[in-house]
Each structure stands twice: as structure tokens, then as C-alpha cells.
Amino acid sequence: MIDFEPKFITFDMHGTLIRWQLAAMTRQRLADVVPADQMDDFMKSFQWQRLDEVLGPWKPFHAVMHDSLRKTLARFGLPYREADGQAIVDALPTWGPYPEVPEALRALASRYPLVILSNADDSQVMSNVEKLGAPFHAVFTAEQAQAYKPRYHAFEYMFNQLGCGPKDVLHISASPRYDLMVCNDLGVTHKVHVNRGFEPSTPGYDYHEVTALSQVPPLLGI
């Protein structure tokens, strides 16, 4: 049980609430460009290139995606096709939630204001939010904050907009690296890792770990 009454429950969205399909889509789009025996290494490089891109000054999500893909392909000596990057950008708003998410969100919303902090542009997120099927108090984006997670400024922007501090929220994410480690540094004492298998667990960061969002309401006595 989480012995805490948060003022807000805050969420990462893509990969935590919305099913993250980027890896599968990238493999499919680039199957004719990346040799099969290099694909696993390519995908790891593409993953960390995206992280590196968002650590710098803010730029639109489409630029993050195009630049990450172009640089990763160049690292492997492979050609870049703009249409591949654009297909990924265009697909993001079409993705829907993990199966258990809508019901779990509605249960949490019955008691707490729900908030999203998303590494996306304003034009992308609302289509995903509508598919979640639950009410949200606020939805904040990297575009609004002019910073992507895991930069601290993204979280500080959210706290300032909500008029609260780190100790007032329960933050829920599938990403220790982008969310939970930073939250720990900033003083968010109540955190939940929804382990979707994207990253290894980092239990030293003092969070509750679950494998589905449906396990969170019981932690709060709902």
C-alpha cells in the first residue's frame, strides 16, 4: 500500500499509458535498409540517439525523430529516407492505450486529479489522450515546457503550472531513465514504475513496481 494522499497523480504517457509501438514500426519500415544481422544493434543505437537529442535545447518532436533516425543511419553507413521518419511521427497520434489502462485511470480519477507530462508536441497528444477514456485535470507537453524529459526543467514546469511541489504528487512512469530517476533527484518521494519491459528496474530509486496500471488503484486503497 502507498500511505500517501497525493494532490495530483502525474503520468508519463507514451509507453506508460499509450502502447509504445515505435520499435516494431521502425523495424518494419527499415527492414529493406538495415541488414537483418545489424537490426538489433541499430535499434539500440536509435534508442540512445533519441535520448541524446532531447537532452539539448528544445526542438519540435518531428525534428527530434528525424535527426535521431538520420544520425543513427549515418553511424551504420546507411541511407536516410525522410519518409521513414515522417511515417513514425505521423503514426504517434494514432496509438491507443494498453488494455487495462482506461479502467484503471477511471478508478484513479474518481479520487484524484490526473495529470500528464508528455515528451511530445501539442499537436500530437490530444488524440492519444482522447483514446485513454478518462478525465484529466491537465496535459503538459515538452513543447509547452520547452524542454523534454529527462531534463529537470520539464518537471519543474509541471510543478509550477500545478502550483505544487515534488512531494505533493505520485508520479507514474514506465521509464526509470526518463522519469523516475529525475523525480527522485527532484524530491518526488512517491513513485510507481509500470514495468513494461523497456528498461531494467532500478530499485535504488525507491519506487513501487507493478507490471500493469490496474495494480495501482489497490495500492491507494481504491
Side-chain angles (χ1 to χ4, degrees):
M1 295 288 290
I2 298 175
D3 186 18
F4 172 61
E5 283 292 306
K7 290 184 180 178
F8 303 95
I9 299 182
T10 58
F11 296 88
D12 168 62
M13 184 164 67
H14 296 104
T16 302
L17 306 178
I18 294 293
R19 185 185 294 276
W20 188 240
Q21 302 179 52
L22 187 143
M25 183 175 182
T26 302
R27 287 176 180 271
Q28 182 179 20
R29 288 283 313 188
L30 298 182
D32 63 334
V33 174
V34 181
D37 62 351
Q38 296 183 39
M39 184 62 83
D40 288 346
D41 289 340
F42 176 87
M43 292 302 300
K44 291 177 183 177
S45 183
F46 183 36
Q47 180 181 3
W48 304 126
Q49 185 64 52
R50 297 196 306 275
L51 175 61
D52 190 63
E53 292 297 319
V54 300
L55 291 174
W58 180 85
K59 55 186 174 182
F61 179 84
H62 67 82
V64 170
M65 193 58 59
H66 282 286
D67 290 349
S68 298
L69 191 57
R70 175 176 50 79
K71 291 176 183 179
T72 306
L73 286 162
R75 188 174 298 124
F76 283 76
L78 300 170
Y80 171 65
R81 302 178 302 200
E82 186 172 355
D84 293 328
Q86 193 59 45
I88 296 170
V89 172
D90 292 343
L92 191 74
T94 71
W95 297 343
Y98 290 96
E100 87 285 1
V101 163
E103 183 177 354
L105 287 176
R106 287 192 291 269
L108 294 170
S110 70
R111 185 182 296 179
Y112 304 106
L114 308 186
V115 176
I116 285 172
L117 178 62
S118 176
N119 267 6
D121 289 349
D122 292 349
S123 62
Q124 298 169 309
V125 296
M126 293 317 297
S127 177
N128 297 129
V129 172
E130 289 168 1
K131 294 178 178 64
L132 293 174
F136 282 86
H137 173 77
V139 177
F140 301 119
T141 67
E143 181 177 5
Q144 294 167 23
Q146 294 288 285
Y148 290 94
K149 300 176 293 181
R151 291 192 60 198
Y152 294 168
H153 179 70
F155 289 93
E156 291 170 336
Y157 173 84
M158 178 179 70
F159 297 139
N160 288 337
Q161 293 298 308
L162 293 175
C164 73
K167 296 186 185 303
D168 295 323
V169 307
L170 169 65
H171 189 70
I172 300 175
S173 175
S175 175
R177 183 179 288 265
Y178 277 84
D179 284 71
L180 300 174
M181 293 179 184
V182 179
C183 284
N184 188 77
D185 291 346
L186 289 174
V188 178
T189 53
H190 295 91
K191 305 175 287 292
V192 173
H193 178 207
V194 184
N195 192 340
R196 303 282 189 191
F198 299 123
E199 300 174 24
S201 298
T202 53
Y205 286 90
D206 192 27
Y207 50 65
H208 294 265
E209 182 161 295
V210 299
T211 55
L213 195 69
S214 55
Q215 295 169 272
V216 175
L219 290 176
L220 291 162
I222 300 175

